[in-house]
Amino acid sequence: MKKILKTGTLAMAVSLAAFTTSCGDFLDITPLNAVVVENYWEKKSEVESVITSCYFHMQDKGFSQRVIAWGELRGDNLTETSTMAAKEKELYDFYTNNIVPDNSWTSWADFYNVINLCNTILHYAPGAQAKDGNYSVDELRTHEAEAKSIRALCYFYLIRTFKKVPLVLQATIGDDVDFKVRASSEQDVLEQIIADLEWSEDYIWNKKFFDDERERKGRFNKLSVKALLADIYLWKGDYAKCVQYCKEIMDEKMAEYNVIKTAELEGNFISSSTEGSLALYNGYPLLDESYSSHYPYTMLYERGNSFESIFELQYDYDNRKDGNEGISYFYGNHKDLSGRVNTAAYLTNQTADALFADASDLRLEENTGYKGEPSNSYPVYKFRFLYFGNDERVLRSTAENWIVYRLTDVMLMRAEALAYMGGDENKQEAFEIVKSVNMRSCKGRSLLVYDADKIKNIVLDERQRELMFEGKRWYDLMRMVRHSDNPVNAMSTLRSTYLQRKYGTGGRDAVARMGSLDNLYLPFYQKELDVNPLLVPDQNQAYIIY
């Protein structure tokens, strides 16, 4: 593919691909053999092509692998394999918190590649609209909203991982750009992306506009913008706004459920043939586990784009032969049972106070591959296995979609926000939400017991069971520390209670390296510091050697 953009200091050069723009052809790729920037932005279809390219580059190896490394590897769900320890020194150092600025896992280049594509769309799209008589202002606003939403998601990953990052809102075009920008504060970045998303909410696509499931769930729309806003507000500790956005999503899903059930009663069994057979669990609509064994798992991770899906990256062998390289690299592929990591051994402990103390919880097997041998470390099963009759399991290919947001994630965001808001009514609702998610995986009943004093931990544990290996866990643990009344004590709990159980007795050094709140975040990559001295004063203090 012809390289037509350069991003300067913050990211590598981006290769664009042209995409056909009809709804049914989302992600069908035709390479551009010869493109000149000045001659490209002439019509609506070319803007659509570059927007689609943003989603394509979010599937790049460096992007997808860092979503897992940053969101899972530092948490307590995963342990190393002999492959990592013997052959992947940088990754092993990252896993054991022996992190220095030279470690390439701290590189943010792939995220700024996508950000620069979004900035380029925002720069050139108005000119294309002025030239193309078939390109309306309303369509332009919709494209701008989509670009801002993608950019906001990238910045949200970055700000949670580094705390401070350069906030770049202008396109970097050309080979002669001397691009040096200081890091902006977490507050400034969050304010910017919230403003962008709240503006986008008024202009972004309604998901019902699309007639293809890959676009309905694979492109930003009003529902996924709300999910991202809920996540950001939860991160900020603005619980009331998080609760409201989650409620709007949950209400819409309930309305969809009612439409589907009405259609079924009328003889149009659309649910099982499209987004899944559904049932109410404790009053909340979810994929129906009683429909068949491991049915929600099959619909979420094998088929994809289910009723519960809100936004997921659409992998397809037709355009990406290596599939999802984040999953295949870390968790293994259809040829190799194990990747660079396995499930942490403590996860399959079956004591009374274990995470999966309820042995009937299907997620124990679906996540970890548990086969009745407690306290063993198993390969990661989620995403990678197909389930058939009598619980027969086989490895699948690695073109799995990557789920960014789904309904139970949003429900548990609301539960967490309610738990932190406090008050008897809020805590009780938080528990009822957790119970509904738990019931679905535990044969329609739950062994969870309400305890108002422990409701925050009850929510945190359920998020771990439900969202394991989906790139959420480290950020959940970070919120636990950030939102604590005493973050220093919470940091001590993170080390002694959560991380220590992953590393075991041999991981004392790895736990000890998490010595301060600054260690929650990563350092700026040394190569970025070398080319941009304006970043040097803002380097994370935990990684500066005097």
Side-chain angles (χ1 to χ4, degrees), residues 19-34:
F19 296 77
T20 54
T21 57
S22 66
C23 292
D25 291 331
F26 181 57
L27 290 184
D28 292 341
I29 304 173
T30 304
L32 284 175
N33 293 321

Side-chain angles (χ1 to χ4, degrees), residues 331-344:
Y331 302 155
N333 56 44
H334 60 289
K335 296 179 180 178
D336 299 313
L337 182 63
S338 180
R340 272 71 176 175
V341 292
N342 281 337
T343 64

Side-chain angles (χ1 to χ4, degrees), residues 433-445:
I433 292 172
V434 169
K435 185 178 177 181
S436 69
V437 176
N438 190 263
M439 287 173 61
R440 194 262 298 275
S441 294
C442 297
K443 299 183 178 179
R445 57 71 181 138

Side-chain angles (χ1 to χ4, degrees), residues 127-259:
Q129 189 275 326
K131 296 173 184 177
D132 185 350
N134 295 317
Y135 190 7
S136 71
V137 173
D138 287 344
E139 289 171 316
L140 169 64
R141 294 290 175 262
T142 302
H143 289 149
E144 290 173 330
E146 198 167 1
K148 286 184 178 184
S149 300
I150 297 168
R151 185 176 70 181
L153 177 63
C154 291
Y155 273 124
F156 189 44
Y157 275 116
L158 291 170
I159 207 66
R160 287 179 293 174
T161 303
F162 295 96
K163 194 173 184 178
K164 294 180 177 182
V165 295
L167 181 59
V168 183
L169 304 177
Q170 302 298 320
T172 309
I173 302 166
D175 295 335
D176 57 347
V177 177
D178 182 16
F179 196 63
K180 297 180 176 65
V181 177
R182 286 202 64 170
S184 295
S185 69
E186 177 185 34
Q187 180 178 348
D188 287 347
V189 175
L190 291 176
E191 286 179 357
Q192 177 66 49
I193 62 178
I194 287 172
D196 283 345
L197 289 167
E198 290 181 340
W199 180 89
S200 298
E201 192 180 351
D202 292 332
Y203 296 101
I204 198 73
W205 310 103
N206 186 315
K207 68 182 180 60
K208 296 174 183 176
F209 171 84
F210 300 113
D211 60 6
D212 181 274
E213 65 179 8
R214 293 184 299 171
E215 289 198 299
R216 283 198 299 271
K217 303 301 175 73
R219 293 180 70 163
F220 264 105
N221 54 55
K222 289 186 184 297
L223 212 60
S224 44
V225 165
K226 288 178 180 180
L228 179 51
L229 277 166
D231 205 1
I232 293 170
Y233 279 124
L234 183 59
W235 181 259
K236 282 189 65 182
D238 192 335
Y239 302 123
K241 287 186 177 178
C242 173
V243 163
Q244 179 57 38
Y245 275 112
C246 291
K247 183 178 186 300
E248 291 177 15
I249 295 168
M250 292 162 66
D251 286 349
E252 182 164 338
K253 285 296 184 181
M254 177 59 81
E256 289 181 22
Y257 168 83
N258 289 331
V259 169

Side-chain angles (χ1 to χ4, degrees), residues 459-472:
V459 176
L460 184 64
D461 286 348
E462 189 63 22
R463 282 189 62 85
Q464 185 178 14
R465 284 186 285 263
E466 178 70 11
L467 302 168
M468 191 171 291
F469 313 134
E470 296 184 38
K472 308 280 184 178

Side-chain angles (χ1 to χ4, degrees), residues 246-284:
C246 291
K247 183 178 186 300
E248 291 177 15
I249 295 168
M250 292 162 66
D251 286 349
E252 182 164 338
K253 285 296 184 181
M254 177 59 81
E256 289 181 22
Y257 168 83
N258 289 331
V259 169
I260 289 171
K261 286 302 176 182
T262 299
E264 288 181 339
L265 289 173
E266 294 173 351
N268 301 315
F269 295 96
I270 62 171
S271 62
S272 59
S273 63
T274 54
E275 295 189 337
S277 183
L278 309 175
L280 291 178
Y281 289 89
N282 203 26
Y284 296 95

Side-chain angles (χ1 to χ4, degrees), residues 368-440:
T368 70
Y370 177 71
K371 298 182 180 68
E373 298 177 8
S375 300
N376 269 18
S377 179
Y378 293 99
V380 174
Y381 266 47
K382 183 178 276 188
F383 296 107
R384 302 181 50 240
F385 278 80
L386 302 177
Y387 283 85
F388 297 94
N390 300 319
D391 290 345
E392 179 186 355
R393 296 162 291 187
V394 296
L395 275 167
R396 63 168 297 183
S397 63
T398 51
E400 301 89 348
N401 285 358
W402 182 258
I403 301 173
V404 181
Y405 290 113
R406 56 188 177 95
L407 179 56
T408 52
D409 183 9
V410 170
M411 291 168 63
L412 293 171
M413 284 187 212
R414 179 175 169 88
E416 182 177 330
L418 288 167
Y420 276 87
M421 288 174 71
D424 292 341
E425 187 174 338
N426 288 336
K427 290 180 179 180
Q428 185 65 54
E429 183 186 346
F431 179 76
E432 295 303 323
I433 292 172
V434 169
K435 185 178 177 181
S436 69
V437 176
N438 190 263
M439 287 173 61
R440 194 262 298 275

